[in-house]
Structures are given as structure tokens and as C-alpha cells.
Amino acid sequence: MIDTATVLLRVLEHLGYSGLALGIAALIAVPLGLYIGHTGRGSWMIAGANALRALPSLGLMTLLVLLIGAGVVPPTIALVILAVPPILSNTAAGISVADPAAVDAARAMGMTDRQLLRQVELPIALPLVVSGFRAAVLQVVATATIAAFVNLGGIGRFIFDGLALYDYGRVVLGAVLVAAVALALDGALALVARAVTPGRVGRTRTRPDSANERVGE
Amino acid sequence: MNWMFANPDEFAALFAEHTALSLLPTLIGLVAAVPLGAALRGLPRARAIAVVVAGIVFTIPSLALFVVIPGLIGTRILDPVNVVIALSMYSLALLVRSVLDALDGVPPAVRDAARAMGYSSLRRIVAVDLPVAVPVLVPALRVVAVTNVSLVSVGAVIGIGGLGRLFTAGYQRSYPDQIVAGIIGTVVLALLIDRLLALAGWSLTRWQRVTEAAA
Amino acid sequence: MIEFEGVSKTYPDGTAAVDGLDLRIDSGSLTVFVGPSGCGKTTSMRMINRMVEPTAGRILMDGQDTAQIPTVKLRQSMGYVLQGAGLFPHRTAIDNVATTLRLAGASKADARRRAGDALRLVRLRPELDDRFPSQLSGGQQQRVGVARALVADPPVLLMDEPFSAVDPVVRAELQGELLRLRGTLSQTIVFVTHDIDEALLLGDRIVVFGPGGTVHQCAEPQTILERPADAFVAQMVGRDRGFRALGFHVEDLPVLPLGDPGADGALEVPGGSWRLTVDDAGRPLTWENGVTRTPAGDGHAAGSSLRSALDAALSSPAGTAAVVDDAGRVVGWLQRSAVLTALEAPAGRP
């Protein structure tokens, strides 16, 4: 049957595919997003990236396998294309929503563009960048299961093998594992998001009955 | 491309199936999310729980749901209902948060005015809150619809998936042409639905686009 | 008539927004609730149409406990004007107004026709009827808000800081409009503001709220100015209390007749070197004495308050004020000494 070592191997493979794709996606999307958000130029790229979301990963991956051969490259490309749009649009949005007054003040202090970006805009944008990254992680981890369809490893292996062998237990194991990995990573990133939110405080308390009533004045 | 022209009937059938499989969950999600969101606004505790649950639902990979649902509700593994249920859950999870955000965005003075005029809660939500919330709601609906189009094709690995079946079939026969036809069909469908929803939103928000101040 | 009987509003955390309010609001009056932020004035008003439920006491509407009236029916019998108007952004001006009538069951055509009439009443130009709120200025939006509250001719009109979101010029215009409308309306009006001057200008009666939701004084504007109940009210009323109180006194002042105008149409001020030039309609333009020229104000309108007379006399370089008629045309002179004499002999003033 399935031993712990196999499970661990599949999970590590899964994390490997996901991590590779997310790393490449971040290397592409973060600098591009910084540039678009800082200069306000090239916002057509965001629209273009969003159109990429319509590309079906399974189709792209199978097509790439037929065109360039099996291996890690086809699923990685498909996953990178999945991960770029959320990171790109959130990074650009985060930079461009940085409080104009703060940016103005920084310029008045004599900051160069580079200093402005690193010391002001990036820290302000970081929470949004992280949330874009979270969205990308969820999608990539979920979609990495299809790598097993083109005879690679990862948690998807359990699902496809289970389906082929009519072994429903194996299918469920795969499903639960993917969900667990996704939840764990999302939870970890939620902590990161909290850590990078500047000046965060507890939610401002509101009166319990004020949901529909304006209180006093 | 050749495959598409050589097999127009099969392509059209798969396209139609894909359309149904992606639109139906979007619609179910919306129809369920609106009253649910409206109800949750008045229940802060239930709302907090619902938002967390929605977040968890969204972390579950679609393929995992497709294969687990039959075991949970006793459908056959090849039943398209599995896909519809799974995607409806995603749609609801995403949309209920958007409905809450959109209703939160209705200016308190507008809601107040409606109450003071003697609108009942239900009537106010339908006649005032929802129309005012459309600008926030439609973009979310577009994301959900396009995501559904893409997720339906994943269903192909378990034998249901509209155009996605061209991917599995093309891959097994080493026939790239068939895969390309599937990709083109999926992308066209996604863009088509996206544009139609954008247009619907546009026609519902004429009031928002007129901004030039009167003299 | 609206009566508050021991009305309190306490929030679950123990904060008292309104504490044991007893109050009578006469039918047809304009009562202003005034006070600083958080004093419970808006909460008190919102309890009238039960947007806020009292935690103790009751509110009677013409003798009937409002808690016994179905909420929707109660609210439909009361127009409500909000700060910033609160217009429905997705409906045009006329449809916003028509909504009130549609809710009460009027047909679409009838509702739109009457909505148009209401918009004419608040003097919105007809070409603005089909605009959306975002296309209207703040003042125009507030006119629509007032029309929406008035269109069904409810017996009560509640106004919650209706003019505080517009600039001072438009505010003065809207205040004037409300005073004008009062001549044609029979509504009982409850008006909430934090601006004591607005309260003094508009109110028949003023209810001064203080921190903790207690009422410090409930009286006519003149009484508030002349006999503030306590230090809080006196401080609320602020500086120049005595001078502003003159605004409620009208004295019969001796008006000197005009002489013949000069060749250039200018008027000679009696007993001095000053002349007052006037425009074609006979309204004041400038004071001149051959050395300097000073723009003249509007002058003192005959029959208006002692405050206006004193202000006109003090601000004229000639020491003599121009008295004008309803059309703003100069009709006579009022000497500073005559105003001071009237001030010396207080007829019923404190």
C-alpha cells in the first residue's frame, strides 16, 4: 500500500513544482508590478496578464508536452502563467495606491526614485503584494496536481492512480493532502501578511447594535 | 485548427457542454450568495464564521472536490453534477464575500434615507442596496465566471469537462491540433462570458458614469 | 403635536445617548435641536420616526404612542432630510422624489407629475430633473432631498443637519429657502444642527442639548440669547450675545426724509459733507465726501431689527445709515444718535 515515505515524497515533489513556478512567477511579476505601479506606465500589461487567466492550464500543459517533450518544463510554464496575473496586478495596485501625501512628502524630503520605491512605496504596498502571492499560491498548489496527468509526481499521483485502479481511498488521500498543503501554506502566508501590515492594531471596536443604526451623532 | 474544422459538430457539442458547466455554477453561486450575504450583514458573528468558511472552501483544490463529492453525496464519479456542485461551492464562497463588500459599500446615508422613507428591509435590499452595489458586484462575478470556465476543463481528467476533454484526448493520441482547438474554445468562451457580464454591468450603472458637475 | 415622555436611549455598553427627555413640540412649529457632537440631538430626532428605538419612555404623535403605529406607516408619515441628502445614486432627481410616492402606492405617472411639482416648489430648475445625483451640486442635491421629504405632504418633517455639508454661501441660500417654504407649508418641523446661529435663525423654539443627552434649555431664540439658562447655554451661544439679541427687537426709529438728488443722482446726507451714490434702481452704491469713497452696504431695511439698524449706523462712515425699502431702494436716513437713543431706552429688553 502507501507508506509514509511515499506520502512525504509526493508532498515534497508537489511543493517543489509549486515553489519553482511561484519563484519564477515572482521574479517576473514583482519587478514588472513595481515598474507599472511606480511609473503608471504599461498598465496594458496587467490587462494582458489578466487575459492569461483564461488560458486553461491542463490544455497548455498537455500541448507543451506534445510540442517540447515530457519533463518538468511544461507544467512549470503552465503554473507560472497561472501565478503571474495575481502577483502582478496586486503589486502594481499596491504601489499605485500608496498614499499620494506620503509619496509627496518623501519627494519633498529629496528622495530619489529608488529610495522612494524602497523606503516608502514598497513597505506600503507589501500587504497587497503578499495577498496577491497568497492567491497565486492557492491556485498553483491546487493546479500542480495535474502534473501527475503527464506522468510526473506530486500529490496528483494519488488521485490519478486511484482513479485508474478504482481505489477510492487513494483518491481521497490525494484530495485531503492537497487541501491540507494549501491550507497550511495559506495560513503561513496569512501570518506573513499580518507581520508586514504597517501599524496594524486590533480592529476598531464598534457598538454591537450599530450595524444598521447610526449611533448618537 | 484542422481538427476543429474537421469536427465542427463535436466541437460545438463540447463548447455547449462547457458553457453550461461553467455558467450554471456561476448562476447558482450568485443566486445563493445575494440573499446569504444580505442576511449575514445583520449577523456579525455568523458573518465572521461564514467568511472564514468561505476562505477555507476556496483553498480546497477543484480536482480534490471533483473526486471527493461522489463519495460524500453518492453520485457516480462520472456525473457532471459533481462538477456543478464543486464549482457552485467555489462561486458561492467567492461571491458571498463580494456581496458583503458590495453591500458594505452602500453609503449609510442612502440606506438611512431608504429606511426613513418606509422601505421594508427586503424591499430596500432589492430596490436600493443591490442596484447601488452593482459596480462592486459585477467585477467579482466576472472573475468567478472566468475562473469557472478554466476549472471546468480540469474536470476532463475525471472524464467530464466540456472542451477539456480535447486536452485529454489530444494528449493520449499525441494530437496537438485537438488540444489547440480546446484551448481556443476555452479562451473564446471565457472572454465572451467576461465581455457579456461587463456589458451587463455597464448597462446597469449608467448613473455612475455621468459625473460632470452641473452648473 | 409630538410629545416626549421620559424618553431615554441607553446603549448596551451603558452609554446614555439621551437621558429622560421630556419635550412638547407644537404642531406647525419649527423646533431646532442644537448641541455639540454626541449630545443625543440626532438620536432624539431619530426616535421620533423610530429609526432608533427608545430604551425607556414613550413618544406620542397627536396623542398616540408611536410604538403602537406600524414602523413603515409611521415613517411614511414623516419626511426625513439627511445631511448630504442621501439621494439614491442610481435614480434621477425626479425619480428620487417619486420614490416616496411610489412607496405609498401612487402610479408611476402620478408620482412623477407630483415629484415635478415638488421640485418646482424647492426651485430646482426643470432641466435638472432627469440628472443623476452625481451630476448635481451639493446645494441642488439637498433641494432634491427636501423635495423628496415633502412630496407626500407628510405632517412632520425631520431634518438632520441638512445644510452642514454645503459651503457657507449655499447654506445661507438654503436657509433662506427653508424660511420661504415655511410660509407655504403647514408641517411640524424638527431640525437638528450643531450650529447655534443656524438654530437662532430658523427656529421658533430651540432645544439646547448638552453632553450625556440632557436638555439644558428649551425656549424661543430671543430667550436663549437674553436669558441663557446656565453657563453651558451661554457658552454655546458664544460671543456678542447682547448684540445678537438685538436681532429680535424692532423699534420705531425716526427716519429723516431724503432731499432732492444732485445732478449726478447722488443723495446728500443731512448735516455733513457726505453723499451717497445710488444705482439706477436707487440702491446704495458708495459713500463719498470728496476725499474718500467707501462701498456702501445694503443699508437698513425699514421695519427690520434694531441689530440691523445699529449695524448700518455703525458701518456708515457718515454716521448716518441709509434706510431702504423692500426693493432695496434708499428711502430715508437714520442717524446713529437715534439708534443709540433707542438702545438707551429699553422697551422690555433686559
Side-chain angles (χ1 to χ4, degrees):
Chain A
M1 274 302 290
I2 305 160
D3 54 29
T4 320
T6 316
V7 170
L8 203 63
L9 172 70
R10 294 306 180 210
V11 170
L12 286 177
E13 280 172 351
H14 201 92
L15 289 174
Y17 303 145
S18 305
L20 180 64
L22 285 163
I24 295 171
L27 283 179
I28 298 170
V30 172
L32 213 54
L34 292 180
Y35 172 80
I36 296 170
H38 184 69
T39 61
R41 278 196 292 263
S43 55
W44 56 268
M45 278 189 274
I46 294 177
N50 281 333
L52 286 182
R53 291 183 207 242
L55 269 182
S57 305
L58 183 66
L60 200 62
M61 186 182 68
T62 48
L63 182 65
L64 286 169
V65 169
L66 295 189
L67 295 183
I68 62 175
V72 180
V73 179
T76 303
I77 292 177
L79 294 178
V80 167
I81 284 178
L82 200 60
V84 163
I87 302 178
L88 179 66
S89 60
N90 272 41
T91 305
I95 296 286
S96 60
V97 301
D99 184 1
V103 172
D104 243 30
R107 282 196 197 282
M109 288 160 71
M111 283 194 187
T112 62
D113 270 349
R114 184 179 292 264
Q115 287 170 323
L116 178 65
L117 193 58
R118 275 187 31 190
Q119 297 181 29
V120 181
E121 291 178 325
L122 199 53
I124 295 176
L126 215 46
L128 257 179
V129 177
V130 172
S131 89
F133 200 72
R134 266 175 88 177
V137 167
L138 281 182
Q139 292 188 16
V140 167
V141 168
T143 310
T145 45
I146 61 170
F149 185 73
V150 290
N151 297 320
L152 287 168
I155 301 171
R157 213 45 288 147
F158 296 121
I159 296 175
F160 287 101
D161 291 351
L163 286 172
L165 302 168
Y166 296 98
D167 179 355
Y168 193 68
R170 199 181 289 229
V171 172
V172 172
L173 172 71
V176 171
L177 274 178
V178 191
V181 168
L183 268 174
L185 288 177
D186 192 54
L189 281 170
L191 293 179
V192 173
R194 280 181 54 167
V196 299
T197 303
R200 93 200 129 80
V201 279
R203 288 194 165 188
T204 41
R205 279 192 43 201
T206 46
R207 285 181 206 268
D209 66 341
S210 66
N212 285 309
E213 283 184 5
R214 195 155 53 102
V215 175
E217 334 81 21
Chain B
M1 292 301 266
N2 293 331
W3 183 89
M4 195 164 29
F5 294 119
N7 304 275
D9 292 345
E10 194 185 343
F11 182 80
L14 289 172
F15 193 89
E17 187 195 10
H18 203 117
T19 308
L21 284 176
S22 31
L23 280 188
L24 198 58
T26 309
L27 199 67
I28 293 172
L30 180 68
V31 167
V34 167
L36 186 62
L40 286 173
R41 277 200 84 250
L43 310 164
R45 208 158 294 160
R47 175 186 175 148
I49 295 169
V51 168
V52 171
V53 171
I56 292 175
V57 167
F58 203 66
T59 57
I60 304 174
S62 54
L63 186 55
L65 263 186
F66 291 164
V67 296
V68 168
I69 283 178
L72 293 180
I73 63 168
T75 44
R76 287 176 303 115
I77 201 150
L78 282 178
D79 197 331
V81 168
N82 303 330
V83 172
V84 172
I85 290 175
L87 295 185
S88 297
M89 283 170 65
Y90 286 124
S91 306
L92 176 60
L94 258 171
L95 284 173
V96 80
R97 294 166 85 156
S98 305
V99 168
L100 284 166
D101 286 344
L103 291 180
D104 287 348
V106 176
V110 169
R111 186 172 283 133
D112 231 32
R115 281 182 71 212
M117 287 164 79
Y119 268 102
S120 64
S121 304
L122 191 64
R123 201 166 170 187
R124 190 199 73 214
I125 288 166
V126 173
V128 179
D129 292 7
L130 280 178
V132 176
V134 162
V136 182
L137 213 48
V138 167
L141 195 62
R142 288 168 62 187
V143 169
V144 168
V146 170
T147 308
N148 281 343
V149 171
S150 145
L151 289 181
V152 164
S153 57
V154 175
V157 300
I158 54 161
I160 316 136
L163 293 162
R165 274 192 272 176
L166 297 177
F167 306 149
T168 48
Y171 176 71
Q172 273 143 12
R173 296 165 56 201
S174 296
Y175 187 24
D177 228 36
Q178 205 170 0
I179 299 178
V180 170
I183 292 177
I184 290 173
T186 322
V187 170
V188 166
L189 179 60
L191 296 182
L192 203 64
I193 291 178
D194 185 62
R195 292 323 303 161
L196 283 176
L197 285 174
L199 193 69
W202 186 82
S203 66
L204 285 173
T205 52
R206 193 169 76 88
W207 53 273
Q208 212 195 14
R209 290 189 301 280
V210 288
T211 44
E212 83 277 24
Chain C
M1 188 166 65
I2 304 166
E3 288 163 286
F4 285 73
E5 288 183 354
V7 175
S8 295
K9 175 68 186 178
T10 312
Y11 286 100
D13 63 2
T15 324
V18 178
D19 191 15
L21 179 63
D22 288 301
L23 191 65
R24 251 184 62 170
I25 297 168
D26 291 327
S27 293
S29 69
L30 195 164
T31 302
V32 181
F33 290 0
V34 69
S37 284
C39 66
K41 55 188 192 296
T42 296
T43 307
S44 297
M45 190 192 78
R46 288 163 68 85
M47 285 192 287
I48 298 175
N49 64 350
R50 291 179 52 212
M51 298 285 279
V52 175
E53 293 287 344
T55 39
R58 52 182 202 154
I59 298 171
L60 306 178
M61 172 82 188
D62 293 327
Q64 194 186 1
D65 188 346
T66 52
Q68 309 300 324
I69 306 170
T71 320
V72 167
K73 189 166 165 256
L74 180 73
R75 290 181 183 162
Q76 286 182 0
S77 73
M78 296 182 178
Y80 190 45
V81 184
L82 294 92
Q83 178 179 359
L87 298 183
F88 301 138
H90 60 303
R91 294 192 183 149
T92 59
I94 196 163
D95 285 335
N96 259 281
V97 179
T99 301
T100 310
L101 298 166
R102 296 281 288 152
L103 277 171
S107 74
K108 194 167 182 179
D110 184 42
R112 278 182 70 95
R113 185 182 53 74
R114 285 166 64 193
D117 293 345
L119 286 170
R120 297 297 81 76
L121 183 69
V122 297
R123 297 207 237 192
L124 190 83
R125 300 201 308 276
E127 64 265 32
L128 302 181
D129 282 6
D130 291 318
R131 296 218 180 169
F132 289 103
S134 61
Q135 296 169 290
L136 299 174
S137 69
Q140 290 163 344
Q141 288 185 30
Q142 202 48 270
R143 283 172 194 267
V144 177
V146 173
R148 186 173 67 174
L150 281 176
V151 66
D153 200 23
V156 173
L157 187 60
L158 306 176
M159 307 183 84
D160 182 7
E161 306 230 8
F163 307 146
S164 59
V166 293
D167 66 69
V169 175
V170 176
R171 186 183 314 146
E173 190 182 304
L174 291 170
Q175 287 167 343
E177 201 75 9
L178 180 62
L179 288 172
R180 181 186 67 83
L181 277 174
R182 279 210 70 203
T184 59
L185 299 174
S186 58
Q187 266 80 12
T188 306
I189 303 178
V190 180
F191 190 107
V192 167
T193 181
H194 60 265
D195 177 357
I196 185 73
D197 290 312
E198 185 168 67
L200 292 168
L201 174 71
L202 299 175
D204 301 331
R205 276 168 74 76
I206 295 177
V207 184
V208 183
F209 283 76
T214 51
V215 170
H216 283 253
Q217 190 169 14
C218 173
E220 279 94 59
Q222 188 178 345
T223 314
I224 300 273
L225 279 170
E226 292 174 354
R227 291 192 298 278
D230 55 24
F232 177 81
V233 179
Q235 207 220 324
M236 184 83 201
V237 173
R239 302 163 66 93
D240 306 329
R241 197 153 57 73
F243 175 63
R244 283 151 62 195
L246 292 177
F248 296 96
H249 291 275
V250 180
E251 302 273 332
D252 204 10
L253 298 166
V255 176
L256 303 179
L258 292 181
D260 291 328
D264 56 354
L267 303 166
E268 294 283 346
V269 179
S273 55
W274 288 88
R275 289 154 50 88
L276 176 65
T277 64
V278 294
D279 66 9
D280 293 341
R283 291 181 296 231
L285 280 178
T286 54
W287 299 105
E288 299 180 2
N289 67 351
V291 184
T292 59
R293 297 159 58 97
T294 310
D298 292 336
H300 167 63
S304 65
S305 73
L306 209 45
R307 175 181 174 167
S308 149
L310 181 61
D311 184 59
L314 290 176
S315 56
S316 157
T320 297
V323 178
V324 298
D325 63 9
D326 288 346
R329 196 170 58 229
V330 181
V331 293
W333 306 112
L334 175 62
Q335 287 179 308
R336 193 179 286 172
S337 56
V339 181
L340 295 175
T341 307
L343 288 172
E344 289 278 340
R349 277 185 289 114

